[in-house]
Amino acid sequence: MTPGLHVLAPESFEELLGGTGGPATVSALRASERSWRLLVLRALLDACADAPTGPLPPPADAWRLLTRARAAAEDVVEELLAYPAVGVWAAHTLRRLRGTADGDAPLWAELGHLHALAASAAIGAGLDFRAAVPVRHGWAVLPGLGAMRVAGAADTAEVSAVAGRVLVAGRPLDGPDWHALTRLDADGCALLLDDTDPYRTLRGPVPAEPVAADVWQDLFTEAWEILRGLDAEDARALAGGLVTLVPRPRAERFRPHSASSGDAFGAALASVPDDGEQLASTLVHEFQHNKLSAFMHLFTLYEDQGADRRLHYAPWRDDPRPLGGLLQGVYAFYGVTGFWRRRTHPLGRFEFALWRAQTAHALHAIAPSDGLTDLGRRLVAGLTARLEPWLAEPVPEPALAAAELAVADHRATWRAYHLRPDPGVVARACAGVREKGRAGSVPEALRVSAPGPAASEYRPALVPGSPARGFDTRAVLLRWLLADPAGFEALRADPGAAVSGARAEDIALVTGDTAGALRAFRERILSGGGDPETWVGLGLAARAAGDPAGEAVLARPELVMAVHAELGADADPLETARGLVSRPA
C-alpha cells in the first residue's frame, strides 16, 4: 500500500506564503503535524530498544496499552498524541537517545513518560488497567489530564482504573491531591491551561507548578473577544489550531515573555499578561510561529548552513539570529503588526509603527540571502508585498515619533554590542579625528554618511555581546508614557524600580528634555560610564538637538566608541563623533 501524501490546496499554500491561513489551512496543517508526530514517535521507539528502563516496565508495555486504548477510542488517543507537550517529550527524548541533547532527569524517567501517556489514553478510553508512571518532584503527571501530588520519595506511582474509578498512587482523581488541568472557555474557543506537564515549557522536563486559573480565564475571555472582533475568520483559524496555553510567572509591565516550539504545534507559552489585549497579541504572535513551523515540516524555505551559518540582526531580539530564526521572526511579527494595525489607541499606534518598520527592515535585509530557497524567497517577497502599503499609513505624531526613537535605539544598541571594527580601521579613523575633523582627514569609507561603494568597504566583525540591560528599555518607558501617563509620572523618581535598567537620563530623553538628556549622557561617558546604552542615548539626544554627532553615533556606534576609547577618556564624545561625519570638500 502506498502511503498517502500531504498536499496543501493552492489557496492554503498561497495563504501561508502571505503570512495568513484560514480554518481550512490550519486543519490541513494539523493533519500534516499528526504524521510528523507519528514519525518522531516511531523513531523514538526504534531508538529506545536497549535504553535503561529503571524501575519501570519496558516501553513495549506502554505501547501495548496505548494500542488497546486506540482500538477502544481512536479519537481520544489521536487527540492525546497530538497534544503539544507530547511532541516536546518525544523530540527531546529522541535527541537524548541519539546523544544530541543533555538532560538532568534520568533517561529512564524521560522514556518512562510513555507509560504516563499510555495511562492517560487508557483513562480517556475507559479501559480497566494497571500501569506504573514516573514521579518527578513529587508529582505523577498524566498528560492532558493533570497531576497527582505523591508523598515521600517514590520514583514511580501506580495508576489503575477499574469500572471507571481511577486511582493514582492509591488516591482518586476527585481528591485534594489531584490537580486537574483547567479548560479556558470563551465563546468559540477553548484552551487547556497546562501547568503540570513536565514538557510544557517546550524544553526539557520541569516540575509541575499549579496556578490559580481564574485570572487566566478572565484574561482569555477578554483576549478572545478582541481577536473575534478584529477578524472572525482569523479567530476561528486560531481556535482550530491552538490547544494549550502554558502559564508562566508575571514579567515586568510591557515586557511579556512568550514562546512556542516546532515540536509542539498548538502550544503557546505566555507570562501573565498586563491585560487581555496583550494576551491577544501574544496568541497571534505564537500562532504565527506554529503555522510557519508546520509549513517548514512540509517545505524547505532555507538551506541549513551548518557551522558556517551567517547570523543576522533581528529587530525584536538582543542577540544575532541565524536565517531560520529570522524567518520565524518576520513571520511572527508580520502577524503582530497586523494585529496592532487595527488597534487605534496611542499604544496600539506605537506598536503598529514600531513593528511595521522593524519587520520591513528585517525582510529587506534577508531578501538577497543566498541561503533562501526559491520558496523561501517567495515567502519573503509575499510578506514584503503585503507589508509595504502599511508603511505609508498615517500614524499620529506622538506615537510615530516614539516608534522612530525606539527603532533607532534598538538598531544602534545592537550594533554597539555586536559589531567590532578592525583595529586598523580604528587607527585610520583616529588619525583623521586628530586632524580636528578637517575636510578629507577621515578616510572616505569611514565617514558615516559616505554613499555607495565607499561605505561598503566598512565591514565590522560580528562578535558576541553581553548587554547590561534589555535593548527595549527606552521602548518600555515610551509604552508607559503613551499608555499610562499617570503611572509614568510615578516612576520618574526611581525608573529602575519599575523598568529594569532604566535611568534618569532615559526619562529625560523620552519626555523631550533633550538638553538635560544630552548633558547627562555626555557626563556619564566622561566619568567612565560609557556603556553602549549611554552612547546610543547620546546619539539619540544629539540627533534631537540637531547636532551632527547624533548621525555618527546612531549610524556607527561601534566605530565612534572604539575611536573614543583610542583617543582617551578625556576626549569629548560629541567632538569625537562629529569628526567622523562627512563634510563637503
Side-chain angles (χ1 to χ4, degrees):
M1 179 178 176
T2 303
L5 298 176
H6 290 283
V7 179
L8 280 178
E11 54 270 24
S12 292
F13 189 74
E14 293 301 326
E15 283 178 357
L16 291 167
L17 285 177
T20 62
T25 298
V26 171
S27 179
L29 292 179
R30 289 193 67 173
S32 67
E33 283 297 289
R34 173 190 178 274
S35 295
W36 180 269
R37 179 70 49 80
L38 292 178
L39 286 172
V40 175
L41 286 170
R42 180 70 262 173
L44 174 62
L45 289 171
D46 291 343
C48 74
D50 299 320
T53 59
L56 292 169
D61 287 14
W63 191 253
R64 280 192 289 271
L65 180 57
L66 195 60
T67 302
R68 278 181 58 205
R70 189 176 187 278
E74 180 177 347
D75 290 349
V76 170
V77 177
E78 286 288 335
E79 183 177 351
L80 181 61
L81 290 178
Y83 195 69
V86 171
V88 179
W89 160 72
H92 169 76
T93 307
L94 180 59
R95 293 181 189 115
R96 284 202 65 181
L97 288 168
R98 291 176 171 175
T100 59
D102 298 319
D104 295 330
L107 183 56
W108 69 262
E110 304 253 47
L111 285 170
H113 194 67
L114 180 61
H115 291 281
L117 181 66
S120 286
I123 292 169
L127 299 182
D128 290 351
F129 72 97
R130 290 183 184 277
V133 301
V135 173
R136 307 190 204 188
H137 305 284
W139 292 91
V141 176
L142 296 178
L145 298 178
M148 180 71 76
R149 191 183 296 277
V150 178
D155 290 330
T156 66
E158 183 182 76
V159 182
S160 64
V162 178
R165 178 173 170 77
V166 179
L167 299 177
V168 179
R171 291 187 287 281
L173 299 193
D174 57 359
D177 292 321
W178 172 251
H179 176 78
L181 297 187
T182 299
R183 178 184 166 99
L184 301 177
D185 278 304
D187 186 10
C189 185
L191 299 178
L192 280 178
L193 187 71
D194 192 342
D195 51 2
T196 63
D197 196 289
Y199 300 92
R200 67 191 183 280
T201 61
L202 314 180
R203 294 183 175 86
V206 297
E209 295 178 299
V211 301
D214 52 349
V215 64
W216 282 99
Q217 179 60 67
D218 292 342
L219 288 163
F220 178 62
T221 300
E222 182 184 351
W224 177 249
E225 286 305 311
I226 290 171
L227 292 172
R228 192 170 61 171
L230 292 177
D231 191 311
E233 191 74 356
D234 285 350
R236 282 205 310 120
L238 183 145
L242 286 183
V243 176
T244 60
L245 179 59
V246 178
R248 302 303 298 153
R250 184 181 296 276
E252 280 185 15
R253 189 177 182 189
F254 301 118
R255 272 179 164 159
H257 172 65
S258 67
S260 53
S261 168
D263 295 325
F265 184 84
L269 179 150
S271 58
V272 179
D274 298 339
D275 51 35
E277 182 179 55
Q278 190 180 85
L279 179 57
S281 174
T282 295
L283 294 178
V284 169
H285 181 143
E286 299 308 335
F287 191 51
Q288 286 289 103
H289 283 310
N290 274 253
K291 290 187 295 183
L292 187 62
S293 293
F295 190 58
M296 290 167 66
H297 283 160
L298 297 171
F299 303 98
T300 302
L301 300 180
Y302 67 99
E303 302 295 342
D304 187 356
Q305 297 164 304
D308 297 327
R309 64 183 181 175
R310 182 186 169 197
L311 297 177
H312 303 261
Y313 167 61
W316 35 81
R317 299 272 302 217
D318 292 356
D319 56 332
R321 299 292 289 159
L323 183 57
L326 195 56
L327 276 175
Q328 280 283 1
V330 295
Y331 205 82
F333 277 94
Y334 169 80
V336 168
T337 304
F339 172 84
W340 289 113
R341 178 173 174 251
R342 292 171 286 185
R343 306 300 285 169
T344 58
H345 52 73
L347 179 62
R349 297 290 78 204
F350 166 80
E351 300 290 1
F352 170 58
L354 171 64
W355 296 122
R356 70 179 180 180
Q358 295 291 58
T359 306
H361 180 87
L363 284 167
H364 284 112
I366 61 174
S369 173
D370 57 7
L372 293 172
T373 63
D374 289 343
L375 191 58
R377 281 187 282 275
R378 281 184 61 186
L379 181 138
V380 169
L383 294 178
T384 301
R386 286 172 174 262
L387 184 66
E388 280 187 341
W390 298 354
L391 298 175
E393 293 184 4
V395 171
E397 181 56 33
L400 182 61
E404 289 172 346
L405 189 152
V407 166
D409 186 17
H410 193 280
R411 293 181 190 175
T413 307
W414 189 93
R415 288 188 66 102
Y417 270 109
H418 295 300
L419 298 182
R420 294 292 179 273
D422 182 89
V425 167
V426 176
R428 290 164 59 202
C430 283
V433 172
R434 286 190 179 103
E435 291 293 320
K436 309 294 185 186
R438 190 180 67 228
S441 59
V442 176
E444 182 183 3
L446 304 185
R447 294 185 225 139
V448 297
S449 59
S456 68
E457 295 173 21
Y458 177 70
R459 295 190 181 93
L462 184 67
V463 298
S466 300
R469 68 183 194 183
F471 293 178
D472 66 342
T473 299
R474 284 184 277 255
V476 172
L477 290 174
L478 289 165
R479 291 182 174 100
W480 273 91
L481 185 59
L482 290 165
D484 184 3
F488 180 87
E489 289 302 316
L491 63 79
R492 277 180 179 270
D494 185 8
V499 180
S500 296
R503 302 165 179 161
E505 54 265 41
D506 298 318
I507 295 286
L509 178 68
V510 303
T511 55
D513 180 8
T514 301
L518 190 60
R519 181 172 57 254
F521 288 125
R522 180 176 176 275
E523 289 174 356
R524 184 181 288 274
I525 292 169
L526 288 172
S527 66
D531 55 24
E533 291 86 355
T534 300
W535 274 98
V536 173
L538 180 82
L540 292 166
R543 184 180 69 173
D547 189 324
E551 175 189 4
V553 173
L554 296 179
R556 291 181 182 170
E558 72 286 353
L559 180 59
V560 177
M561 290 170 61
V563 169
H564 185 265
E566 190 70 21
L567 293 175
D570 292 337
D572 186 282
L574 292 171
E575 286 298 328
T576 300
R578 291 176 193 134
L580 292 170
V581 178
S582 266
R583 290 175 172 81

